[in-house]
Amino acid sequence: MRIHLQNIGYKDSEYERPNQEWVCGWTRDGNPCKHGPDGDGHCTAHAQAICDPKKEGERFKCTRAGAFGGPCEDGPSPDGSCACPTPEHLVCQPTRNIRARRGRAVVMLAVLSFGFLLLMLGGPWVQSFVNPGQLSSVHLAIQGSKGVENCGSCHANGDAGPSEWFKAAFSSVEMAHEIGSAACLDCHFIDPGLGREQSMLVHGADPSVMDQLTNAALDASVSNTQTHRVLEISGLIQGPVSVADDGLACSSCHAEHRGADHDLLFMSDNECQACHQNPFKSFNQGHPQFSQGPQASAGIVFDHARHEGRFTSEALECGSCHIADKTGREMDVLPFKRSCQGCHEQGSKDHHGDKIKKNAIAVLQLPEMEFDEDAYWPTDYAIGESLPPLMALMLLGDPQAVSLLESIYDGDGADGDLYEWLILTDDEDEPELRLDLALALKRLVSDLSDSSKRGAQVRRERLSRAVNIDADDQRLTQFSNALDAASFVMQRFQQRYLPQLADDLDGAEVSADDDEFFESEWITSAGMAGWRVDSDEGLVSYRPVAHADDLLASLMMLMQIDRPNGSAQAVVMGRINEAFENDFRTCTKCHSEQNGEIAWTSSDRTKRLSGFAKFNHSPHLTMLASQSECSSCHVLETSSHGVEMAGLESVRGFLPHRSESCTSCHAPGLANNSCLNCHQYHEERPE
Amino acid sequence: MRTFSSRRTKAVVSSLIVAGFFSVFIYSFELMQKNAVNLSGWILLALALVLTLFNARKKLTYPPLIKSSIWLQFHVYIGWLALLIFFFHTQWQIPNGPLESVLYIIFMLLALSGILGVFVTRILPKQLASRGSEVIYERIPMFVRQLREQAEQLVLESVGYNNSTILSLFYQQSLESYLSGPSGLTAKIIRRDQEYLQLQSELKALHRYLTEEECDIADQLSAIVETKDDLDFHYVRQGVLKYWLFVHIPLTYSMLLFALVHLVLVQAFSIGLS
Amino acid sequence: MAGETKENQAQSGTLSTLDKPKRWDLPFSQDLPNEAERRDLTETELDRLLQSKPFSAMDLDKFPKSLAVRDILRNDTRIRKYRSGDAVVSAGDYGNSAFLILEGDCRAIIEGLDQSALGRTERKRHSVMGSLIKIFNNPKLPEVRDAQHYPQMDNKKLQAGASGNRPGISTVFVQDVPNVLELSPDAFDATKNNVMPQGSLFGELSALGRVQRSVTVVAADPTTTLLEIRWQGLRDLMKYDTALREHVNELFRSHGLQGALQASPILAAADLTQAQWDQVIAEAEFETYGSYDWYGSFQQIRGESVDPLSQEPIIAKEGHYPNGLVLIRAGFGRLSEKNGDFEQTFGYVGKGNVYGLEELLHNVDVAEALPLQSTLRAAGYTDIVRISTKTFEDLIYPGLEAARQRGELSVSFLGEQIKRRSERRVKIDINPTQPEMKADFDPSMMEFLVENRLMNGTETMMIDLDRCTRCDDCVRACASGHDNNPRFVRHGQIHGHYMIANACMHCEDPVCMIGCPTGAIHRTEGEGKGEVVINDLTCIGCGSCANSCPYENIRMVNVRDQSNQSAVMVDPVNARSIVKATKCDLCVDHHGGPACERACPHDALKRVDMNDIDLLSDWFNR
């Protein structure tokens, strides 16, 4: 049983007027007055009663409108003024209709928000308010404590305040990168050598260079790489990325205000792949193959292939020669003593055995000469048939001796054969030349045997004249030091064969023979290692004692110095070379010699490895079960079955690296495989 | 024939396509290291303005602008789209700057109220049509009063018969208050409120003590109560249909205000980001 | 502040007085677009009129004092002069007046007249900008009027085209009448009364029947003088003078009938020769069922629980022999069929529809004739023309058949004829090639529509309560376009979850007009779609329209005086406040059609045309 509520008859139901802002206050009570409030929300209850009585004959008649309940029973007062009966409704307080109230709500909230904003922007806390997010921990110092004005420390007009910000927002001037990144560069110099503008450039390189590289890369771009679908699509949408010639702002990669724990340095691969025109999916999918093998050190010649498996593995492992340097990034080669000596030197003093005897180097031997008039010369003991090359070298340092040597080594004449030369001197009747030679030799001996500082000095000068390089040249010093060590031996030599040399050189009269000196014995000492005096032949010789022999090494280096062709020096050197060929070869077998440079040590390789790609050995070493596993990356040519080496020259017996050897571990879900794991954007500038 | 369901599917599909397009577009900006946030921001602003225009359209009733219903369709689906873009803009995380946080909250409330609105405007009308007699919201108090007066009339009658005061007492104790205004509104959103059920059962219970005529009156009274209950039912639902806009619309404008400030700041501080 | 409040109240208290409007406040002769033509009829003219036919023949004593013929003539007629070629009425217009030729002659042009020649002009609307501005400077209070323009204030201040006469309609000049007439091949034989001599009456059809002018009539004489009669006047004259009444009826057979018949697509399709037409017309019987003011009885029975069918006179009964093709000329018929013991309504027919077509088509040269499949009742009031079966089979059917063989008349067209009159196809398959008729919506809804005579509406406001959020945007939109006044109420009869809101339906048969003493309520003319509108200036607030509207869609309001602090206007004599009738005007003054429909955000509100069953059912089945 329902109760009918709404009559729709036009008499029963007037227009509902939701468009009227004001509704009668009595509506809430369920009986609004027919008339309703006026347009400004005032109750019209009083007005409804009002009428202006009309005179009809004698009586006044109420003219209250039908809309207000028609004429009132009592009618107007006799004098014709409206008696104004109390209205059916008491005066009400009209209320806004729901719609109007909604409008008010809108306005109020708007005003509220506006006020709030004013308060926030107006107060001293404005900067903390507008701060879009905490700076990363490294920069917190810049952000400073609350309420400190410091936006300006990075943002131009950051401290200018709201009004300026508004201006800036609507000013059309486009801020250039430099301004934005200037603040960064104040602290972070990518490369002190680089100007601010340059620092912003892509890879810090000159745009033209980048273009070349890009084109080159595009030409070489590997077609079969799996490309990044999404990147392709966005490429289609965006077209190829073009970076403005003034480069990138720091902020375009290093986003700030991401909270304290935000890592400014973290980059996703996209940061790289966005620009790199042939975007591939990831390091694991589509990364171009490596073009280089392990970097070769040109210094020490070492054929890994020959050594591998040649000896028992525990005797010879990668680790027995290679060790990570202190940074752990690179692998160094251990010095000879620790790597090679084990096999290549028995450690006994005389490891050269007979072999060495043969090629002991003759250093000093007085030649056999006869003089017409008597001269101070140990005729009986001077039995040399030729000038030992090394001695000749030292003679070259004697200005008076140069001409003699030239005549001795004159190709048309004696051609270095001393005996021949002596005959020649007879024939040409120039006996005084012999005296000159003897004299030069005596001077040499005295020089060599002078163990004083001055002696060393003299010797150095003499040598410098001989090989005409300045006295304090490192190679020369090394050589002369070796001679200094021998000065004691030389003294003995002098005291044995030319005891009165000093007097003789002073021009005093000395007797030809002086046997009484011959009792004196040979004394050997540690400093004299390798030096030997052959009393029967009156010969001072030297044999290299151990690996890295100073004399030999320095001599080899001196040999590299080029000298005028045909000159006595040239000839002499030639002789020396012939004489020492074998000895030299023993060294150059390992110590390669390149354009006048002899590599004594394994020159360091970090220089050669591009700074753009980095690799750190140490973490990988920890992964290795046994050292032999180095081969999992460093594949030897010989053991390289089925590995194709198309046009990639193998280095020192190693095949070029294959990215597979990396991707086996550096894969999603395993080890980090992001671009920046190997590549460092700011490290090296392409040129 | 153009049915609502077909229209809905069309709209949903097409807006999904549009959404997809926008997503790819913005994402590609992100990948290409262009300023995706900036982009999404501008898109968002544009959408917000379009959405706000709906309100303006409602005010401009006469110039032959597009039909309001079509506007609403766009309003709803663009609303969803805007929400998506908003998430792109905020990069799916809550900002940690004070200003941005406030803006974020306002926007979220706005979106939520909008979503609520969509469902309310689709669900409640059916309920309204299915129960009680159709009444104009503004007139409900009038009808309540009408019922109350009827009830009073009946009660007086009952007294008239034989001076039994059972019904009149009952009226004074419980009925009058129930009939004097809306009651149990929150409860009614879900189901009939306790008070109503109680009254009905009490009325039934009374029958035992009542004479023939009084029983008849009691029945009429329960009918009145029933009707009043329906009125409340309409009152609360129509109320909801009107009042959710009290959240949605005011928030719109304060959101725009905050967005403006946000925009200005971004512009002023965006040096270096180009 | 307080002081201001007092003052304010005082202001709204001051009364603004206005004489109680009466029927003849504004004589017809004053209700003209251009000042020049406005002139009251002189006594001599009245005398002359009374001596000339048909008035001379009238028995003046039959007329009540209040409605003396002389007064009727004085107030409800006007004398108008036309030059040769002036269009008096143009086909398609809605006219509220009839014409009596006093001098010269006129010609009816059935066809061949280019509409543009009639200088049809768009009804004056607000410019878009205008509407926009109006929205923002609407008065604060409801029902505020610019009383200065009310005739009661001062007759001189009458507004041009006050009663909606299209400005300049009377001065449309049709170039070179003879040629125009030649355009139609047999112009002069087209209808006997093509040339209308002095003394003949025309335009009465559309005036009385509230239908469009069927023909264009042009003045064919340099000095044509016509007596234009308001339909209210004519109605009264007919009421008390039988002769005139019969004359008018006869006139209909002669002028109107052919037009009416041709208005029906099915008959037009049969394209008959003029001779055949004449035959058809000669034999056609036209009958009127129900009462001209059916709404009265309708409102009575609506309340009581009486079977409406019993109240509706039967036009043709199911099961009977189809004795002819029934063409609905005006009003509506209810279609029902036996369903067990009771009859179920399944459709209705309106103006221009035919009934009995399938049966007739089927019965053509068939041994056992198929009886009528449905019952046709007069829903309220129905004017029909009945064409006997014989005539149909002899003249019309061959025409149709020929047309169909020529391919001009598609079967679906025939189907269309049948569909327009019912949702449900007849039970037995008459014409296998007929298109399948879909059962589009709940028969109970159909019942409901016919029951409440809602099929009358062409712009019925239907609200789908399952979608309507009761936001009142429609009402507010409406108000914004009508000086801050809604013109409908968002309540009304409900069936299922559909509400027929109390907004003017702009009926096919606007019974509201019938009672109107001043013709303030009228159909828009010219290009107007014939919306039913009320001219606020001539409305006297008698409330007869509101009373006669069966749908309670017209509301009387107390008006306020703009020029006097929007105070309520009252009649100083009896302290009655001045009321005016108001209703939906379908936003004729604005662009873009009814604002309510456009303002509804939820597709809940629609103005539906009950004649278009397809659209209606589409809407129901959304």
Side-chain angles (χ1 to χ4, degrees), chain B:
Chain B
M1 184 171 70
R2 185 174 138 284
T3 65
F4 285 127
S5 53
S6 68
R7 184 178 77 178
R8 192 177 301 107
T9 38
K10 280 201 207 87
V12 168
V13 167
S14 47
S15 45
L16 279 182
I17 290 169
V18 173
F21 169 74
F22 270 110
S23 322
V24 173
F25 191 60
I26 293 173
Y27 184 51
S28 70
F29 259 70
E30 217 162 304
L31 289 178
M32 290 302 175
Q33 297 305 300
K34 302 186 183 170
N35 196 337
V37 175
N38 218 340
L39 172 76
S40 51
W42 284 113
I43 296 175
L44 199 54
L45 181 65
L47 291 184
L49 291 179
V50 171
L51 290 171
T52 317
L53 277 183
F54 181 39
N55 198 294
R57 160 64 180 92
K58 282 190 164 196
K59 289 186 172 44
L60 308 180
T61 45
Y62 268 100
L65 303 162
I66 309 142
K67 281 174 63 183
S68 203
S69 56
I70 297 174
W71 270 94
L72 179 66
Q73 288 298 307
F74 278 99
H75 188 79
V76 169
Y77 291 103
I78 290 182
W80 286 111
L81 181 62
L83 187 58
L84 176 72
I85 305 280
F86 178 74
F87 284 133
F88 273 112
H89 188 57
T90 55
Q91 297 174 322
W92 306 89
Q93 48 189 290
I94 299 165
N96 46 13
L99 173 62
E100 277 68 16
S101 306
V102 177
L103 184 50
Y104 187 91
I105 293 164
I106 292 180
F107 190 97
M108 279 323 237
L109 287 177
L110 193 52
L112 290 179
S113 61
I115 293 166
L116 173 78
V118 172
F119 289 109
V120 163
T121 47
R122 288 287 171 264
I123 294 164
L124 294 190
K126 286 193 176 58
Q127 301 184 350
L128 287 173
S130 64
R131 183 169 155 197
S133 52
E134 182 62 29
V135 287
I136 296 173
Y137 184 73
E138 287 79 1
R139 291 186 179 179
I140 288 179
M142 232 168 66
F143 296 129
V144 173
R145 184 192 183 82
Q146 193 175 308
L147 289 174
R148 191 165 67 246
E149 281 162 355
Q150 281 180 27
E152 277 164 7
Q153 202 54 45
L154 286 168
V155 171
L156 288 179
E157 269 179 47
S158 73
V159 178
Y161 287 128
N162 42 21
N163 304 344
S164 86
T165 56
I166 304 175
L167 283 175
S168 51
L169 280 176
F170 175 70
Y171 179 81
Q172 283 170 2
Q173 280 157 7
S174 37
L175 216 47
E176 189 166 29
S177 61
Y178 182 74
L179 290 178
S180 56
S183 67
L185 293 186
T186 44
K188 274 203 180 50
I189 298 180
I190 320 300
R191 45 166 181 68
R192 285 167 182 252
D193 58 315
Q194 279 310 317
E195 194 176 2
Y196 163 80
L197 297 168
Q198 196 181 338
L199 282 172
Q200 289 294 34
S201 56
E202 284 179 9
L203 270 170
K204 291 239 173 323
L206 282 179
H207 276 57
R208 282 184 268 121
Y209 314 104
L210 297 178
T211 66
E212 199 77 1
E213 302 86 349
E214 285 178 320
C215 284
D216 183 43
I217 291 175
D219 292 341
Q220 294 184 44
L221 284 179
S222 71
I224 288 178
V225 171
E226 172 113 37
T227 322
K228 164 62 165 55
D229 183 57
D230 292 345
L231 274 178
D232 289 343
F233 180 88
H234 271 251
Y235 186 75
V236 62
R237 274 163 182 68
Q238 292 202 35
V240 171
L241 281 171
K242 292 185 191 310
Y243 278 101
W244 75 270
L245 283 167
F246 274 63
V247 182
H248 193 64
I249 294 179
L251 277 179
T252 306
Y253 293 100
S254 65
M255 189 275 281
L256 286 178
L257 261 174
F258 276 86
L260 175 70
V261 174
H262 170 71
L263 175 64
V264 165
L265 289 173
V266 169
Q267 286 298 315
F269 282 75
S270 73
I271 40 183
L273 302 172
S274 73

Side-chain angles (χ1 to χ4, degrees), chain C residues 204-441:
Chain C
E204 77 293 336
L205 270 180
S206 51
L208 294 171
R210 304 183 291 268
V211 296
Q212 290 175 315
R213 304 276 190 199
S214 55
V215 296
T216 299
V217 176
V218 294
D221 194 289
T223 61
T224 309
T225 316
L226 302 180
L227 181 72
E228 185 174 5
I229 313 172
R230 247 188 231 174
W231 77 263
Q232 289 84 359
L234 185 60
R235 178 194 55 192
D236 294 339
L237 289 172
M238 284 167 67
K239 193 164 171 189
Y240 299 104
D241 181 59
T242 16
L244 183 61
R245 191 158 60 244
E246 276 150 13
H247 173 60
V248 168
N249 282 344
E250 194 39 49
L251 277 180
F252 170 66
R253 181 184 290 280
S254 48
H255 306 131
L257 189 49
Q258 180 167 2
L261 293 179
Q262 280 173 325
S264 152
I266 185 74
L267 292 181
D271 61 53
L272 310 175
T273 66
Q274 191 54 46
Q276 292 170 310
W277 271 124
D278 298 343
Q279 208 176 333
V280 171
I281 288 164
E283 283 154 5
E285 318 156 24
F286 55 91
E287 308 151 19
T288 302
Y289 292 84
S291 60
Y292 188 67
D293 45 10
W294 52 271
Y295 47 91
S297 53
F298 168 67
Q299 278 161 323
Q300 283 167 20
I301 62 161
R302 186 156 60 182
E304 306 132 25
S305 60
V306 52
D307 172 16
L309 293 181
S310 65
Q311 302 299 315
E312 298 171 359
I314 292 177
I315 299 171
K317 198 163 176 36
E318 178 174 1
H320 285 192
Y321 170 75
N323 62 349
L325 180 67
V326 174
L327 172 93
I328 311 297
R329 205 187 109 211
F332 294 89
R334 175 203 291 260
L335 291 169
S336 59
E337 64 187 4
K338 278 221 161 19
N339 184 348
D341 296 349
F342 63 95
E343 285 190 35
Q344 177 168 41
T345 307
F346 66 86
Y348 53 83
V349 284
K351 194 172 95 211
N353 294 166
V354 290
Y355 163 86
L357 180 63
E358 316 89 325
E359 291 85 346
L360 288 173
L361 285 173
H362 175 270
N363 292 354
V364 174
D365 39 276
V366 174
E368 86 292 354
L370 172 72
L372 290 170
Q373 299 298 311
S374 57
T375 304
L376 176 66
R377 279 191 174 76
Y381 149 84
T382 319
D383 269 354
I384 66 155
V385 179
R386 185 179 268 120
I387 296 163
S388 68
T389 311
K390 183 171 180 312
T391 324
F392 178 82
E393 290 182 351
D394 295 355
L395 299 169
I396 300 171
Y397 178 72
L400 290 176
E401 197 50 39
R404 193 162 87 217
Q405 269 140 27
R406 281 203 308 282
E408 294 168 10
L409 176 55
S410 65
V411 173
S412 66
F413 176 80
L414 282 176
E416 186 56 25
Q417 288 311 300
I418 300 150
K419 180 155 73 173
R420 293 185 93 264
R421 62 184 281 295
S422 88
E423 292 60 56
R424 200 100 56 73
R425 65 192 306 328
V426 278
K427 272 161 257 136
I428 59 140
D429 187 7
I430 291 159
N431 180 345
T433 54
Q434 266 174 13
E436 182 57 31
M437 233 65 74
K438 61 184 181 318
D440 0 44
F441 59 86

Side-chain angles (χ1 to χ4, degrees), chain A residues 6-11 13-20 34-40 42-44 46-48 50-52 54 56 61-68 70-71 91 99, chain C residues 1 5 8-9 12-13 15 140-143 472-473 475-476 479 484-489 491-493 502 543 546-547 552 554-558 560 568 570 572-573 575 577 582-583:
Chain A
Q6 179 71 67
N7 292 323
I8 64 172
Y10 80 93
K11 291 203 184 75
S13 162
E14 296 195 331
Y15 287 121
E16 190 62 39
R17 298 177 183 274
N19 51 305
Q20 285 299 327
K34 258 170 110 266
H35 194 53
D38 68 7
D40 309 316
H42 302 106
C43 180
T44 56
H46 285 313
Q48 293 175 31
I50 297 172
C51 73
D52 56 352
K54 190 145 159 293
E56 270 190 3
K61 195 154 154 296
C62 177
T63 63
R64 186 164 62 153
F68 309 138
V91 178
R99 183 68 167 223
Chain C
M1 181 57 205
T5 319
N8 223 315
Q9 291 171 342
S12 35
L15 291 169
K140 273 186 178 172
L141 284 167
E143 308 301 349
D472 271 333
D473 274 358
V475 185
R476 231 175 279 106
N484 191 31
N485 303 310
R487 285 297 174 237
F488 72 96
V489 195
H491 62 36
Q493 305 180 62
N502 283 109
N547 283 320
E552 302 290 355
I554 302 180
R555 273 170 167 65
M556 311 303 295
V557 295
N558 303 323
R560 300 161 171 276
V568 175
V570 294
V573 181
S577 41
T582 61
K583 65 187 250 332

